[in-house]
Amino acid sequence: MTPDPEPTARATVERRIRRGYVVLTLALALSQLWAFAALRDLYPFAAWRMMAGGGEARDGYAYYVVRGVSVSGELVDIRPAELTDALYARTWGLVEATVRNGNFKLRRLHPDNAAALREAGGFDKLPRGARVPEMLRAWGEIYNEALAHGSPRRLRAVRLDAYRWAGGRDTSRDELTESWSVEL
């Protein structure tokens, strides 16, 4: 009587799959060990190295705060990333680019931006943050859309404040450098 070929074929397939998993595991493990030994910025070490300089005093930087004034006069912190469902860091990159008038430096300008650039007489004559009021107005309208029409929490004004952190370890001296506001 001859042995059943089915179990032999199944065992061969299982061995082949097991060998594939071993090769894949070794390839992943060895690449990570190599990255660690060579100090290359390969995943996950690039993210880890971002935090490697803890405790060092850094140079200062600018940051922005968006606030609104409600109909009842209350000061409301606004989180633009929650309004637009955007990534947090990308929102503040948008703010920084808008403050620097980055939208007027694009290769293909929006027609409204091209007209504003011509009207101002060139990029150098544009006021800093020329489109910030429009951005604030849009965020204020989005914020108000989520509230009932008669709500006292609806915004009547939105403000963007630019602060400068001087750097170092002392965080008590943040300086207000610029501010923009719009009435809704």
Side-chain angles (χ1 to χ4, degrees), residues 144-168:
N144 283 343
E145 283 176 7
L147 300 171
H149 189 66
S151 172
R153 299 218 12 113
R154 288 179 67 87
L155 300 178
R156 63 178 163 91
V158 180
R159 185 176 80 215
L160 174 69
D161 293 329
Y163 290 91
R164 176 95 184 137
W165 178 63

Side-chain angles (χ1 to χ4, degrees), residues 8-9 19 22 46 60 62 87 98 108 116 134 140 142 167 169 175 178:
T8 309
R19 266 188 254 137
V22 167
L87 295 172
T98 305
R108 293 187 197 116
E134 293 172 22
I142 292 169
R169 297 190 190 279
E175 174 187 354
E178 295 177 278

Side-chain angles (χ1 to χ4, degrees), residues 18-152:
R18 190 172 294 131
R19 266 188 254 137
Y21 279 125
V22 167
V23 169
L24 180 62
T25 301
L26 285 173
L28 291 172
L30 291 175
S31 69
Q32 294 303 302
L33 285 173
W34 175 79
F36 181 73
L39 290 176
R40 302 283 182 216
D41 285 339
L42 298 176
Y43 178 82
F45 298 103
W48 173 82
R49 290 188 67 205
M50 286 181 0
M51 298 174 213
E56 296 175 9
R58 293 182 14 195
D59 292 336
Y61 62 90
Y63 66 94
Y64 301 91
V65 176
V66 181
R67 293 188 178 107
V69 179
S70 69
V71 173
S72 64
E74 179 184 354
L75 195 60
V76 179
D77 284 333
I78 299 174
R79 303 191 192 308
E82 292 175 5
L83 295 176
T84 60
D85 197 26
L87 295 172
Y88 181 81
R90 299 298 181 238
T91 299
W92 298 115
L94 167 72
V95 170
E96 176 67 31
T98 305
V99 166
R100 286 184 292 104
N101 288 328
N103 49 337
F104 292 97
K105 293 180 181 179
L106 300 174
R107 205 172 323 149
R108 293 187 197 116
L109 289 177
H110 186 277
D112 292 346
N113 288 346
L117 200 55
R118 277 192 306 276
E119 188 177 308
F123 182 81
D124 296 336
K125 296 192 173 132
L126 278 172
R128 185 162 156 84
R131 294 285 189 216
V132 170
E134 293 172 22
M135 179 179 65
L136 294 177
R137 187 169 289 110
W139 284 343
E141 289 170 0
I142 292 169
Y143 183 91
N144 283 343
E145 283 176 7
L147 300 171
H149 189 66
S151 172

